[in-house]
Amino acid sequence: MWDYSETVKEHFYNPRNAGVLEGANGVGDVGSISCGDALRLMLKVEPETDVIQEASFQTFGCGSAIASSSALTEIIKGMTLDEALKVTNQDIADYLEGLPPEKMHCSVMGREALQADVANYRGEAWADDHEEGALVCKCFAVDDVLIEETIRANNLTTVQEVAHYTKAGGGCASCHEGIEEILTRVMAEQGKTFDPSAEALPVTEASPQSLVSGMTNLQRIRKIEQAIELLRPALQADAGDVELVEVMEDRIYVNMKGACMNCQMASVTLGGIQQKVMESLGEFVRVLPAGQLTKS
């Protein structure tokens, strides 16, 4: 399990500024639920001064995504828009007293949401639909523009680091060659040489005991099953059901069955299961469709 700071845990269990912001005059959306992370950032800006009076968020993702979004809203309140745009993903991580390397993409998503939000307020075009750059990672819909900007901003040197910060390359690995080409180009401009021998993504074996909860894997699985059982009657009442398929560290994969399979509210159901499981385990976890197993 990841080693989270007390500040990360505090912002996850007690997020600041979560929910819909009434009267928001700037809204930024990034990510997608199908990729496992989505964030909506809302701002209320004073038109005469461009000062951010209020900020709020809604997110679908892991505990680090919630904590990063909470931290971002706290950081930027009281700033002008230009000051807020200078906030980096590293500033968000520092505010939280650090994030595990594997979760740095959550702070990058917050930075992107802020850019999208400010553009929306100013009536400017901002899009993450890859019109500006070629799509490199199809698993997580990451283009070369975001990869290059993130490499430069964080001095990344390996494919593994790029995966941690953007999720690109963390799925089927077919985009590793494209990421290597970007790393080679950017590092050459910086007077550095890309070392491919240092970039292989290691296969992480599940720890036999959770560092967070102190439970064995078998005990964790039983806890997860018990949490799901509590929700099953409500799902079955609507002719649906859910089946636990796999547990891989902080990722829990389930099959939606019956009416839940094609329900438009499936993402909400997954979110409810995720919340119930986290309450049961006392850990940060992500509940994902079993169809994403091949991408993880």
Side-chain angles (χ1 to χ4, degrees):
M1 283 298 153
W2 317 124
D3 183 15
Y4 292 103
S5 72
E6 290 302 316
T7 306
V8 171
K9 294 176 184 178
E10 169 62 20
H11 277 267
F12 168 64
Y13 288 117
N14 300 290
R16 280 62 160 173
N17 314 305
V20 175
L21 177 59
E22 297 295 336
N25 49 7
V27 178
D29 293 308
V30 295
S32 67
I33 291 177
S34 62
C35 292
D37 290 299
L39 169 62
R40 166 167 287 185
L41 180 66
M42 294 153 281
L43 302 179
K44 186 178 291 186
V45 182
E46 168 55 48
E48 294 183 2
T49 61
D50 271 358
V51 170
I52 299 171
Q53 297 177 318
E54 295 182 56
S56 187
F57 74 94
Q58 293 176 296
T59 189
F60 175 89
C62 63
S64 295
I66 294 171
S68 295
S69 303
S70 173
L72 175 61
T73 57
E74 287 291 276
I75 291 171
I76 62 177
K77 282 193 297 183
M79 289 183 171
T80 65
L81 294 179
D82 288 338
E83 289 171 341
L85 286 175
K86 294 178 182 178
V87 173
T88 67
N89 67 280
Q90 189 60 53
D91 291 331
I92 298 171
D94 290 343
Y95 185 91
L96 292 169
E97 298 182 334
L99 284 170
E102 297 85 353
K103 296 296 183 179
M104 283 300 293
H105 65 270
C106 297
S107 64
V108 174
M109 185 170 67
R111 164 67 179 166
E112 276 199 295
L114 177 59
Q115 292 175 318
D117 205 329
V118 173
N120 175 259
Y121 171 78
R122 291 175 169 171
E124 301 170 350
W126 189 94
D128 57 355
D129 57 4
H130 316 292
E131 292 181 354
E132 293 185 0
L135 189 62
V136 175
C137 176
K138 294 181 180 179
C139 290
F140 296 107
V142 184
D143 64 20
D144 58 1
V145 173
L146 175 59
I147 293 172
E148 182 170 337
E149 288 179 348
T150 306
I151 290 171
R152 293 183 187 280
N154 298 280
N155 297 313
L156 308 185
T157 60
T158 69
V159 171
Q160 181 176 358
E161 289 176 335
V162 171
H164 289 166
Y165 277 71
T166 69
K167 297 179 75 173
C172 68
S174 64
C175 62
H176 283 197
E177 183 176 351
I179 296 172
E180 289 178 0
E181 291 175 357
I182 299 173
L183 280 164
T184 299
R185 182 178 73 252
V186 174
M187 292 178 67
E189 294 172 1
Q190 298 171 340
K192 303 175 184 176
T193 302
F194 171 64
D195 179 9
S197 66
E199 56 75 36
L201 283 170
V203 177
T204 303
E205 295 183 0
S207 169
Q209 184 163 338
S210 166
L211 299 179
V212 176
S213 64
M215 291 184 286
T216 65
N217 282 341
L218 180 58
Q219 289 171 328
R220 291 181 70 245
I221 290 172
R222 287 174 177 167
K223 281 276 190 180
I224 293 166
E225 290 176 334
Q226 290 170 2
I228 290 175
E229 283 299 320
L230 292 175
L231 296 172
R232 179 165 279 118
L235 299 178
Q236 291 177 338
D238 289 328
D241 208 341
V242 62
E243 174 187 32
L244 178 63
V245 175
E246 180 65 278
V247 178
M248 299 175 65
E249 295 189 331
D250 68 338
R251 300 187 303 278
I252 297 168
Y253 295 91
V254 300
N255 262 335
M256 306 302 288
K257 303 176 70 176
C260 291
M261 289 179 61
N262 300 309
C263 177
Q264 294 181 347
M265 299 295 288
S267 61
V268 176
T269 302
L270 285 173
I273 296 171
Q274 177 173 294
Q275 184 63 38
K276 182 63 68 175
V277 171
M278 286 192 294
E279 291 173 0
S280 178
L281 292 177
E283 303 176 18
F284 302 133
V285 296
R286 295 170 65 190
V287 175
L288 302 167
Q292 291 191 22
L293 260 171
T294 57
K295 301 179 181 181
S296 302

